[in-house]
Amino acid sequence: MNEEKMNLKAEVRKSCLTQRAVLSGKERRTKSLIIQQKLRDLPDFQKAHTVMLFLNFRDEVETTDLAEATIACNKKLILPRCAPKGILLPLEVSNLALDLEPGAWGIREPKLTKDEVNPLEIDLIVVPGAGFDLQGNRLGYGGGFYDRFFMRLKPSTPRVAIAFECQIIGQVPVDEHDAKMTKLITEKTVYDFETIGIQ
């Protein structure tokens, strides 16, 4: 990636995160509950046996209740742990109170003693991000963890991003390695990029 593209991504990322940070705690909680329910209502979620989520950090969409609900539905819950060289380890978690510890950035991550799951077993992956557009493009946080991980999934595995409506912009700057989302869920609606021919 050239320096100009990197700088543009950094500027857009900062702008999107600033928009998200403006939300009050009450707004974030209310909108997060709506987003989590929309995700639970998705056929992609309901038919999935193995679901990979992320646990929210700072002012992301809250996902703890969703993780608990995934376990309660007798689905296999996979959470990511950041490893060196930009690698995500998909580890199975069955108890949020016992199986987690603070990771490198203070993010709640599975303990290394948990079992690593073959990414090909994952039926649905729920993805965070800084910004999104309505063409299915995602702007991550700059580490490339998820773009590398997407290549290890089955091509048919739905990539569902969750974000607040304020994180949507006109056009996300992208590179050839940036994977598109299949859906984006905000408190407003479910944007389905598969139905409009975007993969």
Side-chain angles (χ1 to χ4, degrees), residues 2-196:
N2 63 40
E3 188 175 347
E4 187 178 347
K5 177 64 73 68
M6 283 179 64
N7 290 340
L8 176 60
K9 281 191 169 187
E11 284 177 31
V12 175
R13 184 179 298 115
K14 184 178 178 182
S15 173
C16 290
L17 293 178
T18 299
Q19 290 294 319
R20 191 176 76 186
V22 170
L23 294 173
S24 69
K26 184 179 179 183
E27 282 180 302
R28 189 174 299 114
R29 179 68 181 155
T30 301
K31 291 178 179 184
S32 292
L33 288 172
I34 294 169
I35 292 166
Q36 290 182 71
Q37 188 58 53
K38 287 182 186 298
L39 181 59
R40 289 176 66 182
D41 290 341
L42 273 189
D44 287 334
F45 178 81
Q46 293 175 358
K47 69 186 181 187
H49 297 291
T50 303
V51 177
M52 183 164 172
L53 297 177
F54 65 94
L55 291 178
N56 58 285
F57 182 59
R58 294 191 177 136
D59 46 19
E60 290 178 326
V61 174
E62 295 172 19
T63 58
T64 305
D65 292 348
L66 185 60
E68 295 280 17
T70 302
I71 295 170
C73 292
N74 293 316
K75 297 179 185 294
K76 188 182 285 190
L77 173 65
I78 312 302
L79 294 174
R81 184 180 177 104
C82 296
K85 300 181 181 176
I87 301 298
L88 277 188
L89 298 178
L91 304 179
E92 183 178 356
V93 168
S94 56
N95 186 314
L96 296 188
L98 301 177
D99 297 347
L100 304 178
E101 63 186 5
W105 295 280
I107 300 170
R108 294 170 294 163
E109 294 185 336
K111 295 176 180 176
L112 273 172
T113 52
K114 304 312 296 177
D115 291 335
E116 185 170 352
V117 172
N118 184 338
L120 296 175
E121 291 179 31
I122 295 170
D123 301 314
L124 168 67
I125 184 168
V126 180
V127 186
F132 300 89
D133 64 26
L134 297 185
Q135 290 76 52
N137 296 307
R138 167 185 175 268
L139 179 63
Y141 296 119
F145 285 91
Y146 277 92
D147 285 310
R148 290 185 195 92
F149 190 73
F150 292 146
M151 292 188 282
R152 300 173 62 198
L153 299 171
K154 296 187 299 279
S156 59
T157 301
R159 300 178 297 275
V160 178
I162 57 175
F164 300 113
E165 190 74 18
C166 64
Q167 293 173 251
I168 296 177
I169 60 173
Q171 177 66 56
V172 166
V174 293
D175 292 291
E176 62 278 358
H177 66 266
D178 293 332
K180 288 182 181 286
M181 301 297 98
T182 47
K183 292 182 177 69
L184 167 63
I185 303 176
T186 71
E187 71 276 12
K188 180 181 170 186
T189 191
V190 177
Y191 298 97
D192 188 337
F193 305 118
E194 292 175 297
T195 58
I196 58 174

